[in-house]
């Protein structure tokens, strides 16, 4: 009932994915492996508890809807047995009730299905980090440098003029540089909107287009990339 | 039995009979007791007369014995006096006389302190033989010597008579109760029959026949009121069933479009060998459609939750002016892209108590709508002002209106613009993104706050959307 996927480094973070939907489980497992995590998949709560008793697990990804032993029951049992690692719940219902019950049962965070993969990665990073490192004042990528306290953007020695909103968006992308940021994350973290809606989507596109014009148009190497259907990412490589 | 008792009409009858029986029993007891007391009273008066007669008949014989004149009893009616119990005591307690009826029994033994001192002294006692007697004592002089005369009557006959009466009344009770039960069940049936009729009718009304109604015979009585309430419930049920049906058909229709795209793109992609970049493009394109689907489902769920009342408004107090400016700042980039100008004029500064994120979404949708359907280089005017509304209490209302220079909305479509998935011109829509949920969300958000969204077409062209909101929350039931 379980399978372990190998990873790039043995010291990497070990994630236990408890999900009975096999297609989703294998997709998550694959995606996490690509992200450099070590992954074990359990399809039932009972199987998960067995894995936990045998191996060291850093983060648990738990589906609420499981056959036989439900996700909440599994979570309670885990906590009862003294497993204290962070747990990220996957719920398919967007009802507040469900979230509250999950958090009450000892979950550290929750994510509503269908979720965007970059969002899942971001949540796992946040959970594992636990202690938030002190915010940097300057982030650089290639020849781009963003001064967060002075709100200044410089590339190749030239200062770029950005509007306030453009800067907010760029700052967010830079804080997550190297990883893809989904539209949901942008809506929530930059536009402070709990729901993502079409009007906002159009607004993002315009802002992204403007930032790209100022940031990348006159340079050979492009830094702001759109991963079609997934989101946006700041990186200096190809693609 | 338990099934029988579980029916209201039977319980009612049972209660009725029970209470009636209790009252009747009490009444019988009181009547018997009163009857007994009345007879005892009569006995007492008879004893007084007897006492007076006896006093006249007592005499001392030469040897000092006390006797009763016997010649008196020659007359038949006076023989009755022989039925009494008679005892005469001297003041020092010696028995001077006892009649034959009394024999060796004593009518109360030695004299008690108060006995006979004042007029006639009445008391009840029980003889050694077990008979209950009512005794009358009187002190009076007989031929110069003071004696205590006691006259007693057995109360046995009147006791018997009373018990007989009691028994007779009790015997009649079952018949009375039977009659009461019969009458009670008739009354209960009469009262409850319309109810079971109503239940029968209601039973026939299923999800597919929600248009049927219960006939109301008299709207003023309780049952008529009940029927009205049920009818009202049916009406709301029918409405929500209809909404659900519309919703389901809308959704299945709307979900088909992105699903069809995903399927076609995937199928085409799977059939030929492409280079990696092309595949990434195909997957991206599919993901875009998935994202559209997800967004649609999220929005629909929000509306569904809102309509079923699950979603609670999280009210806070904020400045309308700031909210409008924020919404404009979000959408402004879209307008700039089309060379449009958004002109905001705030006539009145107002603080509003509402759910800010929802109101922001409503406003953004409204302004975005104006941007979307207006030609390039046109103007969008937003006006914030206070209006006095007499319709909703006397609290003042704030109106936020968005006027564009677009094609306007034909009069027959103005109502439906706010419906889910309603889009005006299907042909033009392909180039304008959106799924026709924006205005539905706006409509819901405003209505949830007790406000109204409306659209009109001013004489100088374009369309004018305006939302009117109560400044302070009004208690109202959403979706009426």
């Amino acid at each position: 009932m379980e399978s372990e996927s190998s990873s790039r480094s043995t010291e990497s973070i070990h994630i236990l994915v408890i999900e009975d939907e096999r297609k989703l489980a294998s997709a998550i497992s694959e995606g996490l492996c690509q992200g450099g995590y070590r992954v074990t998949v359990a399809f039932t709560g009972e199987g998960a508890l067995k894995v936990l008793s045998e191996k060291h697990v850093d983060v648990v990804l738990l589906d609420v809807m499981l056959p036989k032993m439900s996700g909440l029951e599994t979570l309670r049992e885990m906590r009862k047995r003294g497993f204290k690692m962070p747990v990220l719940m996957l719920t398919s219902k967007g009802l507040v009730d469900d979230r509250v019950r999950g958090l009450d049962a000892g979950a550290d965070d929750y994510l509503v299905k269908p979720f965007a993969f970059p969002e899942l990665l971001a949540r796992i990073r946040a959970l594992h980090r636990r202690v938030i490192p002190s915010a940097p004042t300057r982030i650089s990528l290639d020849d781009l440098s963003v001064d967060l306290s002075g709100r200044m953007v410089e590339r190749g020695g030239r200062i770029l003029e950005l509007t306030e909103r453009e800067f907010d968006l760029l700052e967010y992308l830079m804080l997550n540089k190297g990883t893809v940021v989904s539209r949901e994350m942008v809506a929530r973290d930059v536009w402070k909107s709990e729901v993502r809606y079409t009007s906002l989507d159009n607004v993002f596109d315009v802002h992204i287009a403007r930032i790209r014009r100022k940031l990348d148009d006159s340079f050979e190497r492009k830094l702001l990339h759109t991963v079609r259907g997934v989101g946006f990412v700041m990186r200096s490589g190809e693609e | 039995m338990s099934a029988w008792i579980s029916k209201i009409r039977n319980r009612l009858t049972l209660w009725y009979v029970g209470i009636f029986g209790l009252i009747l029993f009490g009444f019988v007891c009181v009547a018997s007791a009163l009857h007994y007391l009345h007879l005892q009273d009569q006995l007492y008066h008879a004893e007084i007369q007897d006492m007076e007669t006896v006093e006249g008949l007592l005499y001392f014989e030469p040897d000092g014995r006390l006797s009763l004149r016997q010649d008196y009893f020659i007359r038949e009616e006076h023989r009755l006096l022989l039925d009494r119990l008679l005892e005469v005591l001297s003041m020092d307690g010696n028995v001077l006389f006892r009649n034959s009826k009394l024999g060796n029994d004593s009518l109360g033994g030695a004299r008690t302190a108060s006995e006979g001192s004042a007029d006639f002294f009445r008391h009840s006692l029980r003889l050694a033989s077990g008979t209950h007697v009512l005794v009358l004592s009187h002190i009076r002089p007989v031929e110069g010597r003071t004696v205590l005369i006691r006259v007693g009557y057995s109360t046995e006959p009147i006791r018997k008579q009373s018990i007989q009466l009691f028994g007779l009344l009790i015997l009649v009770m079952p018949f009375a109760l039977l009659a009461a039960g019969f009458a009670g069940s008739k009354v209960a049936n009469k009262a409850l029959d319309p109810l079971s009729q109503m239940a029968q009718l209601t039973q026939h009304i299923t999800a597919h026949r929600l248009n049927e109604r219960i006939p109301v015979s008299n709207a003023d009585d309780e049952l008529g009121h009940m029927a009205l309430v049920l009818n009202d419930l049916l009406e709301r049920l029918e409405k929500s069933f209809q909404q659900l049906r519309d919703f389901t058909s809308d959704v299945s229709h709307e979900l088909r479009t992105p699903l069809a795209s995903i399927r076609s793109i995937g199928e085409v992609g799977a059939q030929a060998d492409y280079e990696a970049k092309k595949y990434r493009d195909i997957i991206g394109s599919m993901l875009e459609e998935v994202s559209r689907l997800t967004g649609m489902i999220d929005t629909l769920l929000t509306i569904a939750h809102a309509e079923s009342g699950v979603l609670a408004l999280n009210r806070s107090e904020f400045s309308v002016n700031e909210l409008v400016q924020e919404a404009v700042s979000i959408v402004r980039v879209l307008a700039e892209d089309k060379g449009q100008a958004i002109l905001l004029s705030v006539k009145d500064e107002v603080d509003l108590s509402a759910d800010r994120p929802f109101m922001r979404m409503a406003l953004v949708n409204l302004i975005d709508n104006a941007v979307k359907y207006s030609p390039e280089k046109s103007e969008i005017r937003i006006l914030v002002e206070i209006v006095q509304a007499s319709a909703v209490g006397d609290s003042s209302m704030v109106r936020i209106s968005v006027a564009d220079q677009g094609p306007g909305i034909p009069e027959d479509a103005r109502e439906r613009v706010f419906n889910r998935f309603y889009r005006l011109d299907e042909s033009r829509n392909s180039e304008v993104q959106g799924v026709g949920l924006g205005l539905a969300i706006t409509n819901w958000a405003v209505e949830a706050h007790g406000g109204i969204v409306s659209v009109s077409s001013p004489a100088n062209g374009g369309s004018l959307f305006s939302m009117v909101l109560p400044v302070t929350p009004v208690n109202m039931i959403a979706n009426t």
Side-chain angles (χ1 to χ4, degrees):
Chain A
M1 290 296 272
E2 58 180 278
S3 64
E4 187 166 349
S5 315
S6 60
S7 60
R8 293 178 211 171
S9 83
T10 43
E11 288 154 290
S12 63
I13 295 159
H14 186 198
I15 300 178
L16 172 62
V17 177
I18 312 169
E19 167 68 68
D20 63 312
E21 190 63 52
R22 300 194 181 214
K23 252 187 163 172
L24 183 57
S26 82
I28 291 175
S29 165
E30 180 124 9
L32 291 177
C33 281
Q34 272 174 27
Y37 295 103
R38 210 146 48 85
V39 182
T40 303
V41 176
F43 300 121
T44 61
E46 291 86 345
L49 290 169
K50 192 163 160 279
V51 173
L52 282 168
S53 63
E54 288 165 359
K55 291 173 196 163
H56 172 78
V57 171
D58 297 296
V59 178
V60 172
L61 223 70
L62 174 65
D63 184 21
V64 174
M65 305 263 265
L66 287 177
K68 285 193 278 183
M69 198 173 183
S70 84
L72 285 180
E73 278 163 10
T74 309
L75 180 56
R76 275 193 210 103
E77 188 58 34
M78 267 177 61
R79 292 304 190 214
K80 219 169 79 188
R81 295 192 189 178
F83 296 111
K84 293 203 173 69
M85 70 284 284
V87 171
L88 174 59
M89 293 254 283
L90 303 179
T91 72
S92 36
K93 294 166 232 162
L95 285 177
V96 182
D97 261 18
D98 229 36
R99 302 173 189 183
V100 171
R101 248 182 290 148
L103 295 179
D104 278 351
D108 298 82
D109 201 358
Y110 61 86
L111 201 53
V112 180
K113 286 188 203 170
F115 48 83
F117 211 81
E119 174 93 58
L120 177 67
L121 289 174
R123 296 288 182 100
I124 290 176
R125 271 200 305 279
L127 272 183
H128 191 255
R129 237 185 278 139
R130 274 288 171 81
V131 226
I132 298 143
S134 56
T137 53
R138 178 177 290 274
I139 311 172
S140 319
L141 176 70
D142 210 63
D143 56 346
L144 171 73
S145 153
V146 178
D147 178 0
L148 299 185
S149 49
R151 295 179 76 82
M152 291 264 288
V153 184
E154 213 182 282
R155 190 173 180 190
R158 238 187 316 154
I159 290 175
L160 307 177
E161 297 278 341
L162 294 185
T163 64
E164 208 168 310
R165 196 62 98 175
E166 284 164 9
F167 183 86
D168 289 342
L169 183 52
L170 181 63
E171 175 187 10
Y172 186 68
L173 290 169
M174 283 300 278
L175 283 169
N176 291 286
K177 67 177 178 181
T179 54
V180 181
V181 165
S182 73
R183 286 170 181 272
E184 283 87 355
M185 290 162 78
V186 172
R188 193 192 53 224
D189 295 334
V190 183
W191 265 266
K192 309 287 176 218
S193 170
E194 282 155 59
V195 277
R196 175 192 151 201
Y197 44 101
T198 339
S199 309
L200 268 187
D201 265 4
N202 301 337
V203 171
F204 300 162
D205 288 331
V206 175
H207 278 290
I208 288 287
R210 289 185 177 188
I211 293 175
R212 182 169 284 141
R213 203 154 53 227
K214 293 174 183 174
L215 194 74
D216 282 343
D217 270 9
S218 47
F219 293 91
E220 184 71 22
R221 233 193 331 254
K222 309 297 180 201
L223 297 179
L224 174 55
H225 304 268
T226 299
V227 181
R228 201 171 161 202
V230 184
F232 315 104
V233 62
M234 294 294 294
R235 65 174 163 229
S236 62
E238 290 304 300
E239 293 167 54
Chain B
M1 182 64 191
S2 67
W4 183 86
I5 209 104
S6 69
K7 287 200 166 168
I8 288 187
R9 59 186 69 203
N10 297 336
R11 282 210 303 271
L12 264 180
T13 311
L14 218 61
W15 271 104
Y16 182 65
V17 168
I19 291 169
F20 182 70
L22 228 65
I23 291 172
L24 202 63
F25 182 74
F27 174 75
V28 166
C29 289
V30 169
S32 304
L34 279 177
H35 182 246
Y36 178 75
L37 288 178
H38 178 67
L39 288 179
Q40 214 180 32
D41 231 36
Q42 280 186 339
L43 205 62
Y44 170 68
H45 286 293
E47 277 182 351
I48 291 177
Q49 279 188 345
D50 280 358
M51 179 67 86
E52 277 161 358
T53 314
V54 165
E55 282 166 5
L57 293 177
L58 281 175
Y59 70 98
F60 283 100
E61 292 197 39
D63 58 357
R65 277 192 307 121
L66 192 66
S67 276
L68 210 57
R69 262 185 254 281
Q70 291 299 325
D71 52 356
Y72 186 73
F73 300 114
I74 297 163
R75 286 159 78 182
E76 194 53 38
E77 66 265 34
H78 292 143
R79 298 297 298 184
L80 283 172
L81 277 172
L82 292 175
D83 273 350
R84 72 188 169 226
L85 305 165
L86 181 61
E87 187 181 61
V88 182
L89 296 176
S90 66
M91 290 315 280
D92 47 14
N94 291 325
V95 179
L96 298 177
F97 181 83
R98 267 183 190 151
N99 72 349
S100 56
K101 177 104 187 184
L102 186 59
N104 283 330
D105 267 339
S106 163
L107 270 183
R111 173 182 176 256
T112 52
S114 57
E115 186 177 358
S117 55
D119 214 359
F120 299 104
F121 179 76
R122 170 185 175 175
H123 59 128
S124 296
L125 57 89
R126 199 170 164 198
L127 296 184
S129 61
T131 16
H132 291 270
V133 287
L134 182 71
V135 179
L136 199 65
S137 312
H138 196 213
I139 294 174
R140 85 158 269 153
V142 175
E143 297 176 356
R145 287 171 63 177
T146 312
V147 294
L148 172 70
I149 308 166
R150 284 170 170 165
V151 177
Y153 260 50
S154 164
T155 52
E156 228 41 63
I158 62 166
R159 200 197 272 281
K160 254 193 204 134
Q161 208 185 334
S162 296
I163 288 173
Q164 261 173 8
L165 177 74
F166 180 75
L168 190 73
L169 289 178
I170 290 292
L171 222 66
V172 175
M173 246 179 79
F175 297 101
L177 289 185
L178 221 63
F182 184 71
S185 87
K186 278 271 175 238
V187 170
N189 280 342
K190 185 141 177 62
L192 292 173
D193 271 348
L195 210 62
S196 43
Q197 271 172 25
M198 221 182 276
Q200 242 172 25
L201 275 168
T202 317
Q203 214 165 31
H204 284 295
I205 300 173
T206 57
H208 297 287
R209 290 167 61 187
L210 279 174
N211 55 336
E212 288 183 21
R213 294 288 177 271
I214 300 162
V216 182
S217 48
N218 180 5
D220 288 330
D221 69 8
E222 288 87 343
L223 291 165
H225 184 68
M226 170 100 180
L228 283 179
V229 169
L230 276 176
N231 279 344
D232 190 48
L233 179 75
L234 281 172
E235 193 147 338
R236 273 178 293 156
L237 261 179
E238 189 188 4
K239 213 172 131 190
S240 56
F241 262 89
Q242 189 55 47
Q243 273 178 359
L244 191 70
R245 267 197 287 273
D246 291 351
F247 182 76
T248 319
S249 80
D250 281 356
V251 168
S252 51
H253 177 252
E254 292 295 326
L255 295 188
R256 257 172 227 282
T257 320
L259 276 177
S261 307
I262 292 170
R263 186 170 182 176
S264 308
I265 299 166
E267 280 172 352
V268 170
Q271 275 170 22
D273 283 327
Y274 297 108
E275 56 186 270
K277 193 174 179 321
K278 175 77 180 167
Y279 277 125
R280 201 162 286 160
D281 234 34
I282 290 170
I283 296 170
S285 168
M286 287 166 81
L287 285 175
E288 277 169 9
E289 290 304 302
V290 169
S291 166
R292 220 176 111 190
L293 264 177
T294 312
M296 205 187 286
I297 291 170
D298 279 355
T299 313
L300 284 174
L301 269 181
T302 308
I303 297 182
H305 280 172
E307 282 180 353
S308 64
V310 177
L311 211 69
L313 292 178
N314 200 356
R315 285 180 191 270
S316 61
E317 189 119 334
F318 56 86
S319 150
V320 174
N321 186 14
E322 279 172 25
L323 179 78
V324 175
Q325 274 178 0
E326 194 181 322
V328 169
S329 81
I330 289 174
V331 184
R332 179 153 271 147
V333 284
L334 298 174
E336 283 171 4
D337 258 24
K338 293 180 83 175
Q340 297 161 333
I342 299 180
L343 306 173
L344 171 62
S345 68
V346 178
K347 220 165 129 189
D348 302 291
E349 290 276 352
V350 196
D351 276 349
L352 184 66
S353 168
D355 190 311
R356 200 171 192 280
F358 278 130
M359 287 319 297
R360 188 175 84 156
M361 183 166 70
L363 214 57
V364 167
N365 279 338
L366 214 55
I367 304 170
D368 178 50
N369 196 65
V371 171
K372 241 190 267 179
Y373 295 104
S374 295
E376 300 202 348
K377 305 219 175 348
S378 62
E379 272 179 5
I380 293 159
R381 291 171 185 276
I382 301 172
L383 177 66
V384 180
E385 61 188 332
I386 288 182
V387 287
Q388 226 61 38
S390 52
V392 189
D394 44 15
S395 82
S396 56
M397 316 275 280
V398 57
R399 176 160 65 202
I400 307 168
S401 46
V402 179
D404 62 38
Q405 295 172 336
I409 292 162
E411 200 159 344
D412 59 319
R414 280 179 204 160
E415 277 286 314
R416 283 173 293 152
V417 169
F418 298 105
N419 290 352
R420 274 188 294 257
F421 299 121
Y422 184 78
R423 272 165 297 196
L424 254 169
D425 189 352
E426 284 289 337
S427 62
R428 192 189 48 183
N429 182 63
S430 49
E431 51 197 88
V432 178
Q433 268 194 311
V435 288
L437 286 173
L439 287 181
I441 277 271
T442 301
N443 185 38
W444 160 73
V446 173
E447 275 187 357
H449 286 89
I452 302 161
V453 194
S454 59
V455 60
S456 60
S457 283
N460 54 354
S463 45
L464 175 77
F465 282 87
S466 65
M467 47 199 251
V468 181
L469 287 157
V471 173
T472 46
V474 187
N475 282 336
M476 69 166 283
I477 301 145
N479 314 317
T480 40

